[in-house]
Amino acid sequence: MLVKCQVARIIHSNENFQLVACMPIGDFPRGLAIHPTYHTFTVKDTDHRLIVDKIYTINVDEQPPNKYGTQYLLIDIPSLSFNDVADITDDMEYELLQEIMTETQANYVHEAYPDFIRKILLGQKDEIDVKKIYNVSDKRFNTYVRKIDKRYTSFILRGKFRGYQLTPQECNTLFGIYTTLERVEEMLNLHPYMCLYEICHRPFRRTDNQIMSVNQDMKFNDERLEYMVDYAITQFENEGSTYVDAVRMAEYVRSIDADVLEYLPNIVNKSDLLQYEEDRNIVQRFVTYRQEKDIANFFKDIVKRSNTLDWDWQKYTKIKDGELTEEQQNVLKTFCESNVVILDAPAGCGKTATMLPLIDMIEDHGMGYQMMSPTGKAASRLSDQTGRPASTIHRALLGETLYDKDVLIIDEASMLSVPLLDSIISSELLDNVRFLFVGDSSQIPSIGLGRVFKDMGESGIVPTCTLTKCFRFEEGGASYISTLTRQGKFYMTEEQQEMDRFTLGKKSDYEFIKFNGTVDQIVDTYMELIMDGVRPKDIMLLVPYNIGGYGATKLNNLIQERLNPIGDDNFMKTTHNDTPVIIHRNDLVMNIQNNYHAISYKGYKNADWEDCVDTDDLDTTSVFNGQVGYVEDVMYDSGLINGKMLVANIEGEDIVYTTGEINNLLLGYASNPYRFQGSQCPYIINLVLPAHERSFNKNLLYTAQTRMTKKLIEIGDIATMKKAVYTNGYDNRMTRLKEFLTETP
């Protein structure tokens, strides 16, 4: 609809869009959503930059209502619309210049070069003599060039390729790779699937539908077929599988376009990126095939040429509370006998008690070692438990700290993916390096490809020590529950299944609450702990999904409303899973990105501003994925960093989050077991609801149950819990590492 209006104010603005309040002028279309108090309507603008107080006639499209009300997407400004550089007039140039600079600056630029924008878009910026433009330095000129390239290149591309529905961000991505407008146009015409699916990371089905709607000539094109195969393989990789059965892959392709099935064998056979084994009718990416092969060959070789350490390991079996069990002693013995050992230790079976004397033994014999874990939180916990430094695997690889280590100790090894382990063995290592993999094979497998820990343990090739005695099992509470879950046994009596609520254990560290079908029950349970004096930081609500009415994002927002409602303007906004999130003072937050150069607030305050010219000059520290803390303040910065900044105390250290880093934070009241794996919390509320039935299995359930240190509360549906206990989470993963480990040359 066309609306004549005046821009009243800018509500929000960033590099990708602006949100503005516009006041209609004269007659306006029936049904236009006008604010009853301010008499404005809200417009989201992704192409232009509307100027406050200026009058426009704009074409807008109503968007589905959200929590902030009705918004309108700006389609175009007819007087400023163009599909090609040639369509831009001198008058349009002047109007467009005002979108990226002040009116005064626009006057100076337009006076000197009425075709300023056109020259830049056509790659003719060298024809512009900056000295002829009053009050414009080389630095300011380059800023104008960047703004024009970014904004109006996007504008032209979106106009020329309307059928592809390009976003400004996608245009910027393509322009950043191909550098000129002409080259981007050429690649979109020649290789649309590569541009949209591979480079811009669009979902394949959406990409395919859009391309086919405007270019039927691509129907049997090799590029389309190759990316169709890539999409099919990706569906199985998303489940952790390293290969796919060709028949099942064909089913995915058939659901997209049955006409192309007969061309698939030729595509698969001639691709250098795929490994096809006709006798077994399986397909996998060649890089994944190579990684699983290399891992298998590496560890078979290590085992074969293991050197025995002539150490008196029995000297280290005496511990503070008595003596290591026979199973625990066997770990020390096996470590001395083999260059690679797997320690499979379920929760409560004395993993740390076993590792401590082993580390003492390594240190006493002068061996250099590196302790590491797949996640920052797990590495931090490992360091706390052992009293020795530990790092993430990625940090160790980036820091090149492995080349001189005699022993590599990898904790939470069930989280290892095939690519990550391949990165370790591909780095420079000592010939006689020893590996100790420590993990729990009953926990959920890695988010990434493969099931490395389980495949290596079950191969029979890699020496494996399993701890079976649960020291807390007889207490009859949370350890009892988790142990039975790990064994695939349902842990409630028929009488208990009829009860709405009960507790178990000598320490009453397990409580079950039958789910009544309302989200209020979940929030009320959380608030009960708060009323009992438990700090929010000591509670974690675990739920498999992030989205949905019972997802982590929704539950975080609901708990925030009850526990810490917004009371002032000191907040910052972000978005997670397409849901707006507001973070403000006193909120519990979770850091979701490893950041080894996070800005410390102490360093920020004490910075020498005369010598400090960039955030790189500030004191930094490390924060890890999964760490939680409180928001201490949200404030405007008046110095180095423009705009709002948030200060959060993350595990005892004040960290600065700028507007560009706010997406590294989530509300920290609820999370999913995958993100929380490797972490622990005093009180865990675990949700096992019908809405999450598809995601639950015994591995996920067991992982969630073993995250507590004081009490486990389960809010669940009996039928869903039973199904989870009897469902193995590894069954649907198709991997080849075990096969490669056991095959003979």
Side-chain angles (χ1 to χ4, degrees):
M1 66 180 78
L2 281 174
V3 186
K4 187 177 183 180
C5 60
Q6 184 176 25
V7 179
R9 63 188 179 94
I10 308 297
I11 300 172
H12 177 76
S13 182
N14 61 33
E15 62 179 10
N16 294 318
F17 74 95
Q18 74 173 180
L19 208 62
V20 300
C22 296
M23 186 174 294
I25 297 175
D27 295 332
F28 54 84
R30 186 188 301 268
L32 187 70
I34 304 295
H35 194 282
T37 303
Y38 303 108
H39 307 292
T40 59
F41 63 101
T42 305
V43 176
K44 182 179 180 180
D45 169 23
T46 58
D47 286 324
H48 295 280
R49 287 295 182 266
L50 301 182
I51 301 170
V52 175
D53 294 333
K54 194 167 183 175
I55 296 174
Y56 297 90
T57 297
I58 59 178
N59 185 15
V60 297
D61 185 31
E62 185 176 342
Q63 302 298 289
N66 56 37
K67 65 184 294 183
Y68 300 109
T70 301
Q71 296 178 357
Y72 295 87
L73 179 66
L74 189 146
I75 305 302
D76 62 26
I77 305 173
S79 64
L80 298 178
S81 295
F82 58 90
N83 291 329
D84 203 337
V85 179
D87 298 334
I88 303 175
T89 65
D90 288 355
D91 290 340
M92 287 173 63
E93 278 244 8
Y94 180 67
E95 295 291 323
L96 296 171
L97 283 172
Q98 293 183 68
E99 294 185 350
I100 61 171
M101 60 186 74
T102 66
E103 185 176 0
T104 302
Q105 291 170 337
N107 286 328
Y108 293 145
V109 172
H110 193 65
E111 182 178 348
Y113 290 96
D115 58 348
F116 186 82
I117 291 176
R118 281 164 287 183
K119 282 186 178 296
I120 291 172
L121 291 177
L122 292 171
Q124 300 169 357
K125 70 175 183 178
D126 292 341
E127 297 180 10
I128 298 174
D129 185 355
V130 179
K131 295 178 181 178
K132 293 183 178 181
I133 308 175
Y134 180 74
N135 202 33
V136 174
S137 63
D138 289 339
K139 183 177 180 180
R140 180 171 287 180
F141 171 73
N142 289 328
T143 300
Y144 293 159
V145 170
R146 287 196 300 271
K147 287 184 176 182
I148 290 169
D149 277 338
K150 190 171 187 177
R151 184 170 300 167
Y152 299 119
T153 298
S154 166
F155 194 89
I156 292 172
L157 288 173
R158 297 181 72 199
K160 285 191 173 184
F161 297 92
R162 289 191 182 278
Y164 293 167
Q165 299 177 26
L166 294 165
T167 67
Q169 189 172 0
E170 289 172 338
C171 293
N172 294 335
T173 298
L174 293 171
F175 188 79
I177 293 174
Y178 298 116
T179 68
T180 67
L181 179 62
E182 291 80 5
R183 182 61 174 159
V184 175
E185 290 182 29
E186 180 186 5
M187 296 305 292
L188 279 169
N189 283 319
L190 293 176
H191 303 291
Y193 284 90
M194 182 177 71
C195 290
L196 301 182
Y197 175 62
E198 181 176 347
I199 297 176
C200 293
H201 305 294
R202 282 194 182 181
F204 179 81
R205 288 180 180 269
R206 178 187 165 202
T207 300
D208 190 57
N209 289 336
Q210 289 169 336
I211 294 174
M212 285 293 96
S213 67
V214 298
N215 190 359
Q216 277 291 316
D217 291 341
M218 293 290 296
K219 184 175 178 68
F220 300 105
N221 186 278
D222 280 0
E223 179 177 301
R224 184 193 184 213
L225 300 181
E226 287 171 0
Y227 282 112
M228 198 176 291
V229 171
D230 179 89
Y231 161 75
I233 293 176
T234 301
Q235 305 314 300
F236 292 88
E237 289 181 336
N238 289 339
E239 299 173 357
S241 295
T242 60
Y243 73 92
V244 56
D245 178 273
V247 175
R248 293 183 65 190
M249 184 184 74
E251 291 174 359
Y252 271 98
V253 173
R254 184 182 287 108
S255 68
I256 303 169
D257 190 345
D259 294 342
V260 305
L261 279 175
E262 61 181 292
Y263 299 92
L264 284 189
N266 182 51
I267 291 293
V268 170
N269 276 314
K270 73 179 185 180
S271 174
D272 293 332
L273 303 178
L274 299 176
Q275 173 78 9
Y276 176 57
E277 296 184 17
E278 190 172 1
D279 57 331
R280 297 178 59 184
N281 206 27
I282 62 174
V283 182
Q284 68 183 138
R285 299 190 198 279
F286 184 77
V287 64
T288 308
Y289 166 81
R290 196 68 264 162
Q291 287 171 343
E292 285 192 296
K293 247 323 191 186
D294 289 347
I295 291 170
N297 290 337
F298 180 88
F299 285 105
K300 282 196 292 186
D301 182 60
I302 278 187
V303 172
K304 185 178 180 180
R305 56 184 177 86
S306 289
N307 62 305
T308 300
L309 300 174
D310 188 21
W311 294 355
D312 183 10
W313 59 266
Q314 293 173 317
K315 175 184 173 183
Y316 298 88
T317 61
K318 301 288 192 269
I319 58 176
K320 182 179 179 182
D321 298 326
E323 190 172 28
L324 296 178
T325 66
E326 188 175 335
E327 288 179 335
Q328 293 172 318
Q329 292 182 35
N330 188 49
V331 178
L332 275 63
K333 178 177 179 291
T334 307
F335 178 84
C336 293
E337 295 173 346
S338 176
N339 279 34
V340 55
V341 182
I342 289 175
L343 170 56
D344 191 350
C349 290
K351 178 190 76 172
T352 304
T354 307
M355 289 179 65
L356 287 172
L358 192 147
I359 295 171
D360 288 340
M361 184 170 66
I362 293 171
E363 291 175 342
D364 288 350
H365 289 83
M367 275 193 167
Y369 65 96
Q370 174 77 53
M371 294 199 303
M372 48 189 177
S373 184
T375 69
K377 182 67 176 177
S380 177
R381 183 167 160 246
L382 176 62
S383 183
D384 291 341
Q385 290 175 331
T386 62
R388 279 85 162 179
S391 76
T392 65
I393 295 173
H394 293 91
R395 184 77 182 267
L397 291 170
L398 288 170
E400 298 181 352
T401 61
L402 306 183
Y403 71 95
D404 62 346
K405 299 298 187 294
D406 301 294
V407 182
L408 302 182
I409 301 173
I410 302 174
D411 194 28
E412 297 292 347
S414 63
M415 301 169 67
L416 275 176
S417 66
V418 167
L420 187 55
L421 184 54
D422 183 70
S423 296
I424 296 173
I425 67 167
S426 299
S427 60
E428 189 176 345
L429 302 175
L430 294 177
D431 288 340
N432 287 320
V433 65
R434 304 179 96 81
F435 283 83
L436 174 64
F437 294 96
V438 183
D440 184 350
S441 61
S442 296
Q443 290 195 27
I444 50 179
S446 64
I447 296 176
L449 292 178
R451 50 179 190 181
V452 169
F453 189 72
K454 194 172 183 68
D455 280 351
M456 290 178 65
E458 291 182 349
S459 70
I461 301 299
V462 180
T464 300
C465 302
T466 303
L467 305 183
T468 60
K469 182 181 179 181
C470 181
F471 293 94
R472 299 190 296 268
F473 181 78
E474 300 301 328
E475 294 179 0
S479 291
Y480 171 83
I481 294 295
S482 63
T483 300
L484 291 181
T485 299
R486 177 170 55 84
Q487 296 170 352
K489 301 174 182 177
F490 192 56
Y491 43 84
M492 290 187 194
T493 65
E494 291 187 4
E495 181 182 359
Q496 289 169 341
Q497 294 175 45
E498 297 298 321
M499 300 171 67
D500 291 333
R501 190 164 185 166
F502 64 86
T503 59
L504 288 177
K506 294 179 179 180
K507 299 179 180 179
S508 298
D509 63 352
Y510 176 81
E511 183 173 6
F512 171 75
I513 303 172
K514 186 174 289 185
F515 180 54
N516 66 10
T518 69
V519 72
D520 286 342
Q521 182 192 34
I522 300 167
V523 180
D524 288 345
T525 302
Y526 187 99
M527 294 305 297
E528 283 179 19
L529 289 173
I530 297 295
M531 296 301 293
D532 288 340
V534 182
R535 300 177 302 173
K537 188 179 179 180
D538 293 333
I539 310 169
M540 181 55 67
L541 181 63
L542 293 181
V543 52
Y545 292 155
N546 290 323
I547 61 177
Y550 297 102
T553 303
K554 175 72 173 179
L555 290 168
N556 267 317
N557 287 343
L558 291 174
I559 294 172
Q560 181 195 49
E561 290 175 9
R562 294 273 291 274
L563 188 64
N564 189 36
I566 298 174
D568 55 41
D569 293 331
N570 287 330
F571 61 83
M572 293 180 74
K573 291 182 180 178
T574 182
T575 301
H576 288 282
N577 302 309
D578 297 323
T579 301
V581 176
I582 295 175
I583 301 175
H584 57 105
R585 188 185 289 114
N586 297 325
D587 268 329
L588 184 69
V589 290
M590 176 181 286
N591 183 82
I592 59 171
Q593 291 288 336
N594 289 342
N595 186 356
Y596 303 108
H597 303 285
I599 303 170
S600 74
Y601 186 52
K602 181 180 179 181
Y604 180 84
K605 289 193 300 181
N606 297 334
D608 184 349
W609 295 107
E610 292 186 2
D611 297 330
C612 183
V613 296
D614 204 312
T615 55
D616 291 340
D617 298 315
L618 298 175
D619 290 339
T620 60
T621 186
S622 297
V623 291
F624 302 117
N625 180 17
Q627 288 186 316
V628 298
Y630 292 101
V631 176
E632 302 223 326
D633 206 355
V634 180
M635 65 191 80
Y636 282 94
D637 168 73
S638 59
L640 181 65
I641 305 168
N642 295 318
K644 279 186 176 179
M645 66 182 218
L646 178 150
V647 180
N649 186 285
I650 305 293
E651 312 250 341
E653 180 128 25
D654 288 342
I655 306 297
V656 172
Y657 291 83
T658 66
T659 52
E661 297 166 329
I662 190 64
N663 286 337
N664 292 347
L665 287 180
L666 288 173
L667 290 173
Y669 308 104
S671 184
N672 64 69
Y674 295 96
R675 176 167 281 129
F676 209 65
Q677 190 178 10
S679 303
Q680 285 190 313
C681 188
Y683 293 83
I684 293 292
I685 303 175
N686 183 38
L687 302 187
V688 192
L689 311 182
H692 309 136
E693 182 184 18
R694 290 179 57 193
S695 291
F696 259 114
N697 51 61
K698 75 172 184 180
N699 308 94
L700 184 68
L701 184 60
Y702 170 75
T703 300
Q705 291 172 338
T706 54
R707 298 306 92 200
M708 54 74 66
T709 58
K710 286 188 177 181
K711 187 172 185 176
L712 168 66
I713 301 173
E714 284 193 317
I715 302 176
D717 168 74
I718 297 294
T720 306
M721 297 170 77
K722 281 184 176 180
K723 185 175 180 180
V725 168
Y726 299 134
T727 303
N728 192 327
Y730 285 94
D731 287 345
N732 61 347
R733 287 206 173 192
M734 298 179 291
T735 63
R736 305 188 71 185
L737 179 57
K738 181 179 176 180
E739 168 196 338
F740 292 152
L741 281 166
T742 55
E743 69 180 6
T744 55

